Amino acid sequence: AQSVAQPEDQVNVAEGNPLTVKCTYSVSGNPYLFWYVQYPNRGLQFLLKYITGDNLVKGSYGFEAEFNKSQTSFHLKKPSALVSDSALYFCAVRETPGSARQLTFGSGTQLTVLP
Amino acid sequence: GAGVSQSPSNKVTEKGKDVELRCDPISGHTALYWYRQSLGQGLEFLIYFQGNSAPDKSGLPSDRFSAERTGGSVSTLTIQRTQQEDSAVYLCASSPGPVSQETQYFGPGTRLLVL
């Protein structure tokens, strides 16, 4: 079975400071990992994904994430936070090989960037 | 190009009534997913379509929930005899095909409130 944990419900960071949103996963095989962002009253927007290869993945809006197999983590990072980054962030996993096609999501982390 | 669209954006109904939620996937995407987002439950998978077939209905919470897809495009999620616990945001996503590494792109969701 596949599962994801986002240990922090809320992360606050000052504008201009680096931000990290944590994610750990559990799968039987290998993971495909995704980050999505959700703004109020909107659907989920895709940020980035890890499939294979380089452990550091770069995505939209200056976000990046590092895949760490030994720690089963896929933390989202950004070197300098913007107030406009304030939103709800979801980590998701799908394991391979596996018959499940759906994503399993974490509970979400509310990021607030303070001016 | 156009993204995933869903209608209605908001739906208020009385307990016991039936509702239909519609999803228009990205043109050419053969895989379609329904998820439910509710407070305290996070994002839950409901059903997956590949073409017009639904190989995975494992997430449907009860037999009051059903879904169909016609012409390999539009999908309708039907909830019969709605209950208050059905109140949630229903999200639809599509991806180019069934390959598990493909990104799912989400619509804006339908916010359902059952009174």
Side-chain angles (χ1 to χ4, degrees), chain A residues 7-105:
Chain A
E8 300 160 317
D9 292 335
Q10 175 83 39
V11 170
N12 295 329
V13 63
E15 187 174 28
N17 282 2
L19 69 86
T20 299
V21 182
K22 295 179 181 178
C23 170
T24 59
Y25 65 90
S26 176
V27 296
S28 300
N30 293 311
Y32 293 149
L33 292 155
F34 302 78
W35 275 102
Y36 287 84
V37 60
Q38 186 176 35
Y39 296 98
N41 299 314
R42 303 280 294 275
L44 275 67
Q45 295 180 29
F46 169 72
L47 279 178
L48 52 79
K49 68 181 179 183
Y50 171 81
I51 302 300
T52 187
D54 194 350
N55 290 343
L56 184 64
V57 178
K58 295 186 181 297
S60 306
Y61 312 119
F63 284 94
E64 58 188 29
E66 185 167 12
F67 171 65
N68 188 317
K69 187 172 184 177
S70 63
Q71 296 185 4
T72 61
S73 67
F74 190 56
H75 301 331
L76 181 70
K77 299 182 179 184
K78 187 173 182 181
S80 179
L82 301 172
V83 172
S84 57
D85 293 330
S86 298
L88 185 59
Y89 290 80
F90 290 96
C91 181
V93 69
R94 184 195 286 130
E95 67 181 347
T96 182
S99 59
R101 290 290 178 263
Q102 71 272 22
L103 294 171
T104 297
F105 286 86

Side-chain angles (χ1 to χ4, degrees), chain B residues 11-16 19 21 35-42 44 61 64-65 79 81-91 110-115:
Chain B
K11 177 71 177 179
V12 180
T13 190
E14 294 179 348
K15 178 181 174 181
V19 295
L21 312 180
Y35 294 85
R36 180 169 70 174
Q37 183 177 22
S38 50
L39 285 175
Q41 297 293 325
E44 305 170 84
R64 296 187 295 105
F65 287 72
I79 309 173
R81 306 181 301 282
T82 52
Q83 303 295 312
Q84 289 181 332
E85 61 262 29
D86 299 334
S87 297
V89 178
Y90 290 82
L91 293 166
T110 293
R111 188 174 301 271
L112 174 66
L113 178 61
V114 182
L115 300 176

